Every structure is written in C-alpha cells, then in structure tokens.
C-alpha cells in the first residue's frame, strides 16, 4: 500500500516517516520548495543550514525552512549516515576528466552491486555531480578506506557542507535528481546497511576489511584486542592494513585520527618520530606478509600429509659430515614438532628442539641457520621474551618434483619438552646413544640404512645416504667397533644392542634427561620472575595512585627485585595513564 503525504509543512517529513511514501508537492512561493526542504531535512544532521553567497562564502546560518522559503543557495552538514562524493571536472584535461568520471561511475556500480542505497544529483553546473550513498558507520575502518580511495581519484568527499538535492545554485540554476524523485527520497531514508554489505561494497572497490577485533583495537586501543602495549597494537594494525590492501598513508592517517584511541601515544610524539614509526611499521608488515604468504591448506589431514612428505623428502638430500648428521637430527625433531602441532607452520623453542634432536642449544642454533640457508626451513617470526620462534617447513625447489621415498609415520613428541611420547624409538637421532661422544648421528644414519637380513654393499649404503664410499666405509667401521654392524662377505648387515646400555658404556647416558631438567628449571624460574614482576607492578601502581601527601616510600623489596630502568618506565607509564574516578 502506498501512502500519499502533503509537504505543505515540510517538517512533517522526517526520517521516521513511511519509506514507501509518494510525495505530492503542494503550491509554494518557490517551485519545488517542499521537495527541497524534504531532501535537506533528510540529508542534514540538524535542521539548520548556511547560506552560500555568490563568491562561494558562507552567508550565515538559518533554519532549513527559512532558507528554502527564501529560495537562496544553501548547504547543510551531511549526517554521518551518508557518504557524499562530489564529481568536479572543471579545469581537467579530457584524459583526466575521463578517469575521474570512470572512478565516479565505478563507485556507483559497486554500491549498486552491493545493494547500498544511492542517489545521484546534477549540481547545476556542467560536469558537476553528487553521489549520495547510505553507508553508515558499521565498519569505520572500511569507510575511511573508501573515503581515502575516493580522494585518491580526485573525488571530493563532502563532510563540511553539501547542497541538498533540488536546492538552487549560487550562480543560478538548480540541482536535479537523476531518476525518480520518490525513489531517490526512499533511498535516502533507507536504513543503514549491515556490515556484510559494507564489506561487499569495499571488496568490489578492491578494499579489504578489518576483522571486528581489529576495528575495536583501532577505536578503543591496544587493550581491547589483548595486546600488551600500544606498540604491539600498532604492529598488529599495520599487519592487518597490509593484508587487506591498505597503503602506508592509510596507516599514518588512521593513527593520526583523534577518534582512534590506538594512536594516542603515536600522536603525542614529534612529527619526525611519527614518520620513522610509520616507515618501521610499513616495512616490517611487508616483510612479515611476504614470509607468511603460502598456499592454502584445506584440512588438518592435508596439513599432516604435507609434514610427512617434508620428512620423507629429507632422504633426497645429502647429509654428509658431522654437521650434516646434526642437521638431519634437527630436521627430524622439527618434523615431529610440526606434526604434533598440526601443520607446516609451527612454534618451537630452541631448548625444545635441542632436546628433540639430542644436541646442545648452541649447536642447534647454528644448525637452524644452515637449514634456512639450504632452503629446508623458513623463519616466520623470531622469538621474543615471552613467545617461541615460529617456523615453516619448506621443500627446496630442486626436490619438489622428484618421486618421494615411501613415507613413514612420525613418532609422537611432547611439544613442551621435546621428549618422545610412549616407548622411545631406537632409530631416534636424539637418543643418548646418538650423541656426540657416543655413536654419533652420521653413524646412526648408516645404521638405519642397513637391513637385518639382506646384506648391503658399501656402494649401496653410500648411494642411499648420498655420500662418498669412503665416508660410508668409515661409518660402517664405527658401527662394527661398537657391535651395531657385522660384515657378511663384502657386505654389511645390521646388528642390535640395547642402546641405553651402550650409551652408559660410552658415557652419554642420562644427558637427555639432564637437558630436560635444565629446561624445566629455567621455565619455572622465568615463571617465578614473571609473577614477581607482576606483583611488583601492581604494588607500584597502587603506590603511584596515592596522593602525594599520604604516599609513603616505595617498598624496599621492589628496589631489590626490579631494575631501576624498569621502575623508571613504570613511573612514566603511571604518570601518563588516566586516573580512575
């Protein structure tokens, strides 16, 4: 059912009126005055506007009803619900005018496809148009990105004044609605679109959207997203900006916007510091975005399969020498940790990798650098004081298209300690018998290659391990010396001994358990220190919140436990933090 309303009193037309109304103009001193007032009241955030003189200056404020009755050119401040874009082609070359018009039409097309209500008005001058979009503020960061893209194409985003549809121009003439007046009025009175439509609109313009959490971080500050400091919050925001296709200037503008609490400490700094901070955030975000770029994995099953394939691909490379045996042991520890965490991207502490591979932390640190250089491993994110480093398993290009050996199941591992779960595997390169000073990892690789019943020649062992025959012969002789291999004619077969007893005989028994003990002791010590510092800061904050007249001396145990530089930073933090009321 369609309702017909009279606009003899334009104030009867409000945003709460029926949206399917057919407006019937009534006679007035100015032709279309009822229409003009209705559109002005709808578009304006108030019921007032300001007159526009012939020199394009303000002629004073008045009510919209008065301005319409006088028939003068006037403008209103558009409500935040609307995004008003002005197309001005004056003084442009034909090519520039074509590009700007194309950007205007592209904006209109994207809004139509995303079902965002729009209205187009002709300004009254040649080449001037206004596009009014009912966009709202459901996704503030996306709206800001849309406005910035409009400005980058030369389109003027009107926030401080726009002439309403059907209002007269300061140089004569009047703006007109493109299309039906009723449809345009209904479009401007449409409810604000939901978040999904705004995001769809932005995607059609090539703009990605932030998550709800990152939007909240930008508006409310780093604590809203669980970040420990404003610096961490800014870094997370920069990563989100790069991931969604926003540029360096968007990061700068968002942090400088006084409406965004995340940029409070940023805006308090000097301009040269702000420029350096934006460059730091931008460069780090680009670097991390590059190392995080990887093919999508559809399921956990596929992710585990890729870990097993990576572990099988290790047999295609040569692991010669003592360093090669160490690298192979570290690789197998990394594969087991990745398999336990469910994908090729995983976190691992240096001490845990050392336990899993049966080497000291210094040796493992050097080995990880070699593996990155050989293309088997990529560092995604370096470790911090509270988080472990994050890695990605990568198959080097020269081995990607080669047929893989038959994959074998990976033994479960405890991701917190690096110890094997269940019965230890005798072929584990991290066992005490495989350590330096005992059998060693290169010889254990040869022992794993041998068969219990079928003799293997030195040439076959060398071919299997991708090493020289001399290196293979030296490893086999070492195994023979300790009773783990025996000659059969001119070939070799594998023998079995209790590796724990062998490790005890060679003096390496219990080294892995001692390593785990040191790991757990350091972890417990760090936990105790964190608890101490947390308690000290709470005590310091309570002390700093007291009035100067009633404040006593800071407890001595804080000075004895916390470095003075940390206490100084706490003083600055508590001084700049807002006081609770």
């Amino acid at each position: 059912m369609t309702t017909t309303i009279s606009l003899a009193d334009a104030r009867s037309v409000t945003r709460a009126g029926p949206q399917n109304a057919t407006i019937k103009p009534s006679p007035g001193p100015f032709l279309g005055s009822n229409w003009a007032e209705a559109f002005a009241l709808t578009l304006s955030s108030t019921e007032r506007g300001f007159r526009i003189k012939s020199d394009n200056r303000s002629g004073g404020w008045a009510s919209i009803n008065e301005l319409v009755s006088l028939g003068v050119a006037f403008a209103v401040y558009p409500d935040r619900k609307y995004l008003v874009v002005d197309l001005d082609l004056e003084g442009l070359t034909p090519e520039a005018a074509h590009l700007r018009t194309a950007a205007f039409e592209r904006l209109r097309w994207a809004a139509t496809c995303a079902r965002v209500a729009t209205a187009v008005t002709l300004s009254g001058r040649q080449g001037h148009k206004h596009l009014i979009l009912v966009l709202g503020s459901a996704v503030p960061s996306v709206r800001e990105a849309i406005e910035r893209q409009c400005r980058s194409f030369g389109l003027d985003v009107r926030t401080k004044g726009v002439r309403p549809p059907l209002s007269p121009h300061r140089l004569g003439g009047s703006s007109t609605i493109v299309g039906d007046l009723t449809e345009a009025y209904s479009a401007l009175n449409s409810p604000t679109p939901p978040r999904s439509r705004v995001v769809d609109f932005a995607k059609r313009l090539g703009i990605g959207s932030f998550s709800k959490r990152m939007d909240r971080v930008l508006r409310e500050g780093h604590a809203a997203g669980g970040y420990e400091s404003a610096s961490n919050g800014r870094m997370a925001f920069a990563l989100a900006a790069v991931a969604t296709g926003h540029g360096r200037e968007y990061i700068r503008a968002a942090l400088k916007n006084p409406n965004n609490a995340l940029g409070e400490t940023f805006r308090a700094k000097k301009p040269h510091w702000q420029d350096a901070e934006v460059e730091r955030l931008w460069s780090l975000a680009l670097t991390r975005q590059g190392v995080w770029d990887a093919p999508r994995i559809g399921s956990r099953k596929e992710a585990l399969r890729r870990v097993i394939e990576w572990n099988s691909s290790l047999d295609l490379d040569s692991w010669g020498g003592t360093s090669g045996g160490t690298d192979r042991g570290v690789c197998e520890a990394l594969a087991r940790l990745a398999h336990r965490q469910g994908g090729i991207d995983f976190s691992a502490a240096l001490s845990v990798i050392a336990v899993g591979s049966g080497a000291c932390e210094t040796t493992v640190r050097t080995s990880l650098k070699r593996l990155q250089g050989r293309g088997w491993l990529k560092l995604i994110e370096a470790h911090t004081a509270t988080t472990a480093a994050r890695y990605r398993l990568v198959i080097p290009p020269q081995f990607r298209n080669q047929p893989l050996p038959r994959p074998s199941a990976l033994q479960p591992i405890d991701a917190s300690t690096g110890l094997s779960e269940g019965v230890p595997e005798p072929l584990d390169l991290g066992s005490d018998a495989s350590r330096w000073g005992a059998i060693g990892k290169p010889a254990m690789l040869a022992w794993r290659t041998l068969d219990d019943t079928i003799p293997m020649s030195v040439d076959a062992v060398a071919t299997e391990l991708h090493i020289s025959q001399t290196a293979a012969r030296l490893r086999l002789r070492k195994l023979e010396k300790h009773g783990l291999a025996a000659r059969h004619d001119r070939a070799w077969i594998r023998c079995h001994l209790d590796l724990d007893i062998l490790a005890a005989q060679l003096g390496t028994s219990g080294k892995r358990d001692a390593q785990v003990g040191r790991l757990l002791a350091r972890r417990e010590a760090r936990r105790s220190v964190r608890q101490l510092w947390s308690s000290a800061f709470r005590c310091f904050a309570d002390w700093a919140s007291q009035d100067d007249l009633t404040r006593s001396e800071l407890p001595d145990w804080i000075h004895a436990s916390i470095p003075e530089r940390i206490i100084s930073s706490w003083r600055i933090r508590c001084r700049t933090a807002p006081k609770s009321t």
Side-chain angles (χ1 to χ4, degrees):
M1 179 177 180
T2 302
T3 305
T4 302
I5 59 177
S6 175
L7 295 184
D9 183 5
R11 296 183 184 277
S12 64
V13 182
T14 63
R15 299 189 185 97
Q19 296 179 10
N20 60 344
T22 300
I23 305 174
K24 183 175 71 175
S26 58
F30 172 67
L31 181 62
S33 61
N34 296 321
W35 289 99
E37 187 171 358
F39 279 109
L41 288 170
T42 299
L43 185 62
S44 173
S45 58
T46 64
E47 294 187 358
R48 295 174 58 81
F50 59 92
R51 183 175 177 177
I52 304 176
K53 296 181 180 180
S54 58
D55 58 357
N56 205 22
R57 293 185 178 183
S58 174
W61 287 83
S63 66
I64 290 177
N65 181 277
E66 181 181 353
L67 293 170
V68 172
S69 300
L70 293 174
V72 296
F74 71 97
V76 298
Y77 277 12
D79 189 271
R80 184 63 179 171
K81 171 183 177 181
Y82 304 102
L83 174 62
V84 184
V85 179
D86 179 22
L87 173 64
D88 185 359
L89 303 179
E90 185 176 1
L92 297 180
T93 63
E95 181 180 0
H98 172 74
L99 293 176
R100 188 173 295 184
T101 303
F104 184 88
E105 294 300 329
R106 175 171 173 260
L107 190 67
R108 184 182 179 185
W109 162 84
T112 302
C113 294
R115 294 181 296 157
V116 173
T118 61
V120 180
T121 65
L122 302 179
S123 175
R125 296 178 63 189
Q126 185 68 27
H128 285 239
K129 291 182 181 179
H130 290 161
L131 175 62
I132 308 173
L133 302 98
V134 182
L135 199 59
S137 300
V139 195
S141 60
V142 173
R143 172 165 177 148
E144 290 178 5
I146 294 173
E147 293 179 358
R148 186 165 298 278
Q149 188 181 94
C150 291
R151 294 188 180 98
S152 67
F153 283 108
L155 302 174
D156 185 15
V157 178
R158 294 297 184 89
T159 58
K160 298 299 184 182
V162 61
R163 285 192 305 112
L166 304 182
S167 63
H169 194 275
R170 61 185 175 87
L171 300 180
S174 178
S175 66
T176 58
I177 289 285
V178 176
D180 185 72
L181 290 175
T182 305
E183 294 179 358
Y185 181 77
S186 298
L188 294 184
N189 283 275
S190 300
T192 55
R195 176 187 174 91
S196 58
R197 290 190 189 178
V198 178
V199 171
D200 184 26
F201 175 46
K203 286 182 178 179
R204 295 179 186 275
L205 295 174
I207 301 172
S209 63
F210 290 157
S211 63
K212 292 182 179 179
R213 175 171 177 260
M214 192 51 60
D215 267 328
R216 190 167 61 253
V217 168
L218 180 61
R219 298 299 167 185
E220 302 176 15
H222 64 276
Y227 296 102
E228 296 182 354
S229 64
S231 178
N232 290 346
R234 289 195 298 268
M235 189 69 253
F237 171 72
L239 288 169
V242 171
T244 52
H246 296 80
R248 179 195 288 105
E249 292 306 315
Y250 174 79
I251 298 174
R252 185 194 308 274
L255 294 177
K256 283 189 173 183
N257 189 341
N259 295 325
N260 298 332
L262 180 62
E264 182 177 352
T265 56
F266 176 85
R267 294 187 294 272
K269 300 291 185 178
K270 295 182 179 180
H272 70 273
W273 185 94
Q274 295 177 355
D275 294 340
E277 176 70 358
V278 171
E279 291 299 323
R280 183 186 74 87
L281 295 173
W282 176 253
S283 59
L284 284 177
L286 288 179
T287 302
R288 295 188 181 184
Q289 181 70 12
V291 299
W292 283 347
D293 187 19
R296 295 287 183 180
I297 299 177
S299 63
R300 177 180 173 84
K301 182 179 180 180
E302 181 184 354
L304 297 178
R305 178 183 59 80
R306 291 184 61 176
V307 175
I308 294 176
E309 287 181 354
W310 182 87
N311 188 61
S312 300
S313 301
L314 298 175
D315 292 335
L316 301 175
D317 203 353
S318 173
W319 306 96
T322 303
S323 62
T326 301
D327 293 347
R328 180 62 185 265
V330 171
C331 282
E332 293 185 1
L334 293 176
R336 294 167 67 187
L337 288 170
H339 191 272
R340 180 57 185 267
Q341 297 184 32
I344 60 173
D345 291 355
F346 63 100
S347 300
L350 185 66
S351 55
V352 174
I353 302 175
V355 172
S357 60
C360 67
E361 295 183 14
T362 303
T363 301
V364 170
R365 185 182 292 109
T366 306
S367 176
L368 290 173
K369 294 179 180 179
R370 286 197 299 263
L371 291 174
Q372 294 177 50
R374 296 176 64 173
W376 284 103
L377 190 67
K378 179 176 287 188
L379 177 65
I380 297 178
E381 191 168 1
H383 73 280
T384 66
T386 57
T387 60
R390 192 162 180 81
Y391 300 97
R392 172 175 298 153
L393 305 181
V394 183
I395 299 178
Q398 64 269 27
F399 301 129
R400 290 176 186 172
N401 298 323
Q402 296 188 24
L404 297 176
R406 183 177 180 179
S408 57
L410 291 170
Q411 186 185 15
I413 190 174
D414 187 345
S416 63
T417 62
L419 288 175
S420 300
E421 295 182 346
V423 180
E425 172 65 44
L427 301 180
D428 183 11
L429 292 180
S431 63
D432 288 339
S434 302
R435 287 180 172 270
W436 172 258
I439 300 299
K441 292 176 176 57
M444 290 301 291
L445 286 174
W447 185 68
R448 295 195 323 187
T449 304
L450 296 175
D451 190 84
D452 296 343
T453 57
I454 302 176
M456 293 184 64
S457 64
V458 174
D459 182 59
V461 174
T463 302
E464 187 75 16
L465 296 176
H466 304 281
I467 58 177
S468 66
Q469 292 189 22
T470 301
R473 189 174 291 109
L474 291 174
R475 298 184 186 188
L476 292 172
R477 288 176 179 173
K478 188 173 185 179
L479 293 175
E480 182 184 23
K481 175 183 176 181
H482 295 288
L484 293 175
R487 300 180 189 235
H488 190 274
D489 294 333
R490 302 188 65 178
W492 297 79
I493 60 173
R494 180 167 57 191
C495 300
H496 291 274
L497 292 175
D498 190 327
L499 295 182
D500 291 336
I501 296 177
L502 182 60
Q505 294 174 352
L506 298 176
T508 57
S509 179
K511 285 194 172 184
R512 176 177 255 184
D513 292 338
Q515 213 171 358
V516 173
R518 290 192 297 270
L519 183 155
L520 296 177
R522 287 199 304 267
R523 188 174 295 169
E524 180 64 23
R526 287 195 298 267
R527 187 183 67 83
S528 301
V529 169
R530 284 196 301 267
Q531 290 179 345
L532 177 63
W533 281 37
S534 179
S535 301
F537 178 75
R538 286 196 296 268
C539 179
F540 182 89
D542 293 339
W543 174 82
S545 63
Q546 298 174 3
D547 295 334
D548 294 337
L549 297 178
T550 60
R551 184 184 301 168
S552 60
E553 292 295 329
L554 191 65
D556 293 336
W557 70 271
I558 294 182
H559 288 292
S561 307
I562 309 300
E564 285 299 325
R565 60 182 180 85
I566 302 298
I567 297 178
S568 299
S569 68
W570 287 354
R571 294 181 190 276
I572 298 174
R573 180 177 176 181
C574 292
R575 188 183 308 126
T576 57
K579 294 185 179 296
S580 58
T581 58

